[in-house]
Amino acid sequence: MTEFWLISAPGEKTCQQTWDKMMAATSRTNNLSNNNKFNIPDLKVGTLDVLVGLSDELAKLDTFVESVVKKVAQYMADVLEDSRDKVQENLLANGVDLVTYITRFQWDMAKYPIKQSLKNISEIISKQITQIDNDLKARASAYNNLKGNLQNLERKNAGSLMTRSLADIVKKEDFVLDSEYLVTMLVVVSKQGYGDWQKTYETLAEMVVPRSTKLLFEDNDNGLFSVTLFRKAVDDFKHKARENKFTVRDFYYNEEEMKADKEEMTRLSTDKKKQFGPLVRWLKVNFSEAFIAWIHIKALRVFVESVLRYGLPVNFQAMLLQPNKKNMKKLREVLYDLYKHLDSSAAIIDAFPYTVKISVM
């Protein structure tokens, strides 16, 4: 995370003097922070009552927009799964990395026309981000359902022989099929119990076909054996197998059902691949939109609070500071000394001028 402090200080004779004073105190001699001017256009001021109301509204909108930015970024990481190392290259604003966008911020006149009132601009952003939030919920729900269904099928085809699907293990020739009297059962036997199985399986019920068992598959702990017996002996065989710690799997070979399961897995896998690309593109575009909107909200807050605190005519310099992490305490002290003549009741961080923090990933 990279932290920025976005501050505004009242203009002196000129805003350039305010900037020069800040640079001299924090950057030129002691390398406390890297500073950039933060350009806010001449927005419509409106009435004092509107500004006071907007102050609270913008603070809430700021929190909401930030939460959507983080949700889109987090879902990007979830969707990329094993390629999470590529998340950062997909989280851009206007095609550039986030730090570059913030440090070179320019107001987007096309999206947020400055001829509109401050209230209207905030409503445009609110509607835009609400739409992104709603779309994200819908797209995430659809993709997560698809992904969850696929994972459930994959889990059925993996894991222990005690629980996993046997459809991809057994073959048609492993079974006696279409017999009125005979049926093939599948039994899970621990590897330590192979000897016991071979000695006892023929005697677990009266109608077990001699020498009919066959080892079909092994995992780390168990083996899957087939055994053929008369249908009327199935219940007795299951009971005796349980007593001897052999697990009978309820599986009856049905080619149509097995084919349907494989087709469903193929369909879900194909659908997931089809949705992946468009979803990542949507997340990239809308992360950019949400992030850009968020920084414009920061600009609006700085403008509104600066007019409320420093009065009219509009005369303040907005500045973006990227503190040197080792010198944050010293930077606070320097800013305190620089601006302690301002009303401390208006401070947000110690006795600074109006300040908001921006943390980017």
Side-chain angles (χ1 to χ4, degrees):
M1 298 288 283
T2 304
E3 183 174 303
F4 292 91
W5 295 353
L6 177 55
I7 77 172
S8 78
E12 302 191 17
K13 288 183 181 178
T14 66
C15 288
Q16 185 61 39
Q17 283 182 311
T18 304
W19 169 253
D20 291 340
K21 193 173 179 181
M22 164 67 74
M23 288 294 288
T26 64
S27 180
R28 287 183 186 138
T29 56
N30 47 20
N31 194 31
L32 297 178
S33 60
N34 292 319
N35 306 331
N36 293 89
K37 285 184 180 179
F38 191 82
N39 298 309
I40 301 175
D42 295 327
L43 301 169
K44 282 191 170 183
V45 174
T47 65
L48 182 62
D49 285 347
V50 169
L51 291 178
V52 171
L54 266 177
S55 178
D56 288 336
E57 288 175 23
L58 287 172
K60 291 173 186 172
L61 186 56
D62 188 344
T63 302
F64 169 61
V65 177
E66 182 181 6
S67 74
V68 174
V69 168
K70 288 180 176 176
K71 275 195 277 187
V72 176
Q74 180 56 54
Y75 196 60
M76 173 74 83
D78 293 346
V79 169
L80 289 177
E81 297 179 47
D82 297 334
S83 303
R84 284 180 177 236
D85 55 322
K86 295 183 179 176
V87 170
Q88 215 60 42
E89 68 190 57
N90 285 293
L91 298 180
L92 305 175
N94 259 1
V96 298
D97 67 86
L98 306 184
V99 170
T100 300
Y101 178 79
I102 294 176
T103 53
R104 299 179 187 173
F105 175 75
Q106 294 293 324
W107 186 274
D108 191 324
M109 301 289 184
K111 279 186 185 140
Y112 313 115
I114 60 173
K115 290 181 181 177
Q116 301 254 17
S117 68
L118 297 175
K119 178 89 172 164
N120 283 355
I121 294 172
S122 71
E123 286 173 354
I124 289 170
I125 293 175
S126 179
K127 286 175 185 174
Q128 176 195 11
I129 301 305
T130 299
Q131 186 63 54
I132 290 174
D133 192 36
N134 291 337
D135 286 351
L136 175 64
K137 287 172 186 170
R139 287 170 185 267
S141 176
Y143 189 75
N144 289 348
N145 284 339
L146 178 61
K147 185 175 163 185
N149 290 337
L150 181 59
Q151 285 173 339
N152 287 337
L153 276 180
E154 287 171 343
R155 270 196 293 271
K156 279 174 66 178
N157 291 318
S160 166
L161 277 171
M162 295 288 189
T163 55
R164 66 168 291 173
S165 169
L166 304 178
D168 62 332
I169 292 174
V170 297
K171 302 180 183 70
K172 188 175 182 178
E173 53 266 31
D174 296 326
F175 295 83
V176 173
L177 300 172
D178 305 319
S179 169
E180 187 178 346
Y181 302 106
L182 295 174
V183 64
T184 300
M185 307 292 293
L186 298 179
V187 184
V188 178
V189 180
S190 70
K191 286 188 173 178
Q192 296 91 334
Y194 282 9
D196 289 341
W197 168 255
Q198 293 290 354
K199 287 177 193 172
T200 61
Y201 81 91
E202 293 178 358
T203 61
L204 292 177
E206 289 185 0
M207 297 184 177
V208 177
V209 176
R211 292 185 296 280
S212 63
T213 194
K214 181 181 175 186
L215 177 62
L216 304 180
F217 185 84
E218 287 183 301
D219 63 14
N220 291 335
D221 304 309
N222 304 298
L224 181 71
F225 287 84
S226 63
V227 60
T228 301
L229 58 149
F230 279 75
R231 289 183 183 276
K232 61 170 69 175
V234 165
D235 290 341
D236 189 33
F237 180 84
K238 283 183 177 179
H239 177 69
K240 292 286 176 55
R242 239 187 340 265
E243 286 183 351
N244 284 272
K245 297 183 179 176
F246 305 134
T247 303
V248 177
R249 291 290 307 269
D250 286 324
F251 181 90
Y252 297 94
Y253 190 88
N254 184 316
E255 209 154 17
E256 291 303 314
E257 283 185 13
M258 289 164 64
K259 183 181 176 185
D261 280 352
K262 286 177 182 176
E263 286 175 351
E264 176 67 0
M265 194 161 181
T266 302
R267 183 189 68 78
L268 290 172
S269 182
T270 302
D271 284 353
K272 186 186 173 193
K273 286 174 184 173
K274 279 183 183 175
Q275 290 190 27
F276 176 80
L279 180 57
V280 169
R281 284 193 292 276
W282 185 90
L283 289 167
K284 284 175 69 172
V285 168
N286 286 277
F287 175 83
S288 176
E289 292 294 309
F291 189 85
I292 288 167
W294 185 42
I295 303 306
H296 280 75
I297 286 291
K298 296 291 188 188
L300 284 177
R301 289 188 69 190
V302 168
F303 183 85
V304 168
E305 297 298 333
S306 297
V307 173
L308 285 173
R309 294 170 191 220
Y310 308 141
L312 292 171
V314 175
N315 182 27
F316 67 89
Q317 178 64 55
M319 298 167 280
L320 188 74
L321 280 62
Q322 184 178 354
N324 183 325
K325 287 183 181 178
K326 295 179 182 178
N327 295 322
M328 280 194 180
K329 185 178 178 184
K330 178 65 176 173
L331 179 60
R332 288 173 183 273
E333 291 169 356
V334 167
L335 291 175
Y336 173 79
D337 287 339
L338 200 58
Y339 297 113
K340 62 187 175 184
H341 61 283
L342 297 175
D343 179 7
S344 61
S345 66
I348 287 192
I349 301 175
D350 298 329
F352 293 8
Y354 178 69
T355 310
V356 290
K357 285 185 180 180
I358 306 172
S359 295
V360 301
M361 58 240 20

